[in-house]
Amino acid sequence: DAGVIQSPRHEVTEMGQEVTLRCKPISGHNSLFWYRQTMMRGLELLIYFNNNVPIDDSGMPEDRFSAKMPNASFSTLKIQPSEPRDSAVYFCASSHRDRRGSQPQHFGDGTRLSIL
Amino acid sequence: TQLLEQSPQFLSIQEGENLTVYCNSSSVFSSLQWYRQEPGEGPVLLVTVVTGGEVKKLKRLTFQFGDARKDSSLHITAAQPGDTGLYLCAGPNTNAGKSTFGDGTTLTVKP
């Protein structure tokens, strides 16, 4: 079975450039999560969607960050303009949620982002 | 706010030793998950514990959920270098659809 697929795996770009990270969740999962991981702050939840609708974006650092989920099989996280402090590993995860609750999340392999 | 505290933060041991890492909270969780993350990869789900007092075994790994469902432990017997990684515990937030993650225990097993 295909897991959560993220692209690109690595991104190096200059400060001020727009960065777009992509995620394909596991088929049949209806919840999607974007996380950022750094040594200093660990794993931070940025935003999550349920049935393609953003439910909680309280973890999004500032207006430079935006996320979309146009359909059940695709999501993007965009940073514009990017700054060096945005350098981190960004993970996408998906799970299935029903009236009984949420199933465990399954993670992609992440995008390692470096902003110079 | 439901928080999960993991200890120790770092652990370095020799191959063959036993170890236990902990995940504690003041809140009750309906379930807890344990993940292992290896360098350059995403966290991979190891196990979910659901019932208070539950013990689950995965080869040399033994997971226990506290009777009150506020804490969990992971015990590794005869650790091997392949066990090296970041161990994360996580629990679903009540009615929120998202999960709380601990800060993890970084385990290094030296050959």
Side-chain angles (χ1 to χ4, degrees):
Chain A
D1 289 342
V4 176
I5 299 172
Q6 292 187 245
S7 64
R9 286 298 312 273
H10 304 273
E11 176 88 17
V12 181
T13 192
E14 293 187 345
M15 181 175 68
Q17 296 297 307
E18 178 179 290
V19 173
T20 299
L21 311 182
R22 297 173 175 80
C23 175
K24 177 178 170 57
I26 292 173
S27 177
H29 283 187
N30 59 0
S31 292
L32 184 141
F33 307 81
W34 281 102
Y35 292 89
R36 177 172 66 178
Q37 188 178 44
T38 61
M39 289 291 292
M40 292 295 294
R41 303 173 71 142
L43 196 65
E44 301 175 276
L45 178 65
L46 301 177
I47 185 172
Y48 85 94
F49 297 82
N50 193 51
N51 294 322
N52 311 338
V53 176
I55 303 299
D56 184 349
D57 65 354
S58 60
M60 295 285 262
E62 47 198 274
D63 292 345
R64 297 184 297 106
F65 286 68
S66 63
K68 294 182 179 179
M69 192 166 185
N71 58 62
S73 59
F74 184 66
S75 177
T76 60
L77 178 67
K78 189 172 293 187
I79 308 173
Q80 167 62 20
S82 58
E83 297 183 3
R85 59 189 168 130
D86 301 331
S87 298
V89 182
Y90 290 80
F91 287 103
C92 176
S94 70
S95 71
H96 181 74
R97 186 184 184 195
D98 57 28
R99 58 182 177 83
R100 296 173 300 175
S102 296
Q103 297 301 309
Q105 296 175 27
H106 295 261
F107 285 78
D109 282 336
T111 294
R112 183 172 295 276
L113 178 63
S114 297
I115 308 297
L116 307 178
Chain B
T1 302
Q2 295 172 288
L3 297 175
L4 287 168
E5 294 186 1
Q6 292 190 245
S7 61
Q9 187 178 0
F10 298 96
L11 186 58
S12 181
I13 61 172
Q14 292 294 133
E15 181 176 2
E17 293 183 4
N18 301 332
L19 67 112
T20 302
V21 298
Y22 302 92
C23 174
N24 296 305
S25 176
S26 58
S27 304
V28 175
F29 284 89
S30 59
S31 66
L32 280 180
Q33 289 80 47
W34 283 93
Y35 293 81
R36 179 169 63 213
Q37 183 180 13
E38 298 184 19
E41 298 181 6
V44 174
L45 179 68
L46 296 175
V47 77
T48 298
V49 285
V50 179
T51 306
E54 180 178 8
V55 176
K56 280 191 174 179
K57 292 193 174 185
L58 189 65
K59 297 183 180 178
R60 294 175 293 100
L61 279 59
T62 301
F63 303 85
Q64 185 162 7
F65 201 10
D67 291 341
R69 291 186 287 130
K70 292 182 178 182
D71 53 83
S72 182
S73 63
L74 159 58
H75 181 81
I76 302 179
T77 303
Q80 298 177 1
D83 296 326
T84 292
L86 174 67
Y87 288 81
L88 294 162
C89 67
N93 287 22
T94 306
N95 297 324
K98 59 184 180 181
S99 292
T100 295
F101 279 80
D103 285 337
T105 293
T106 298
L107 172 66
T108 303
V109 182
K110 300 175 184 177

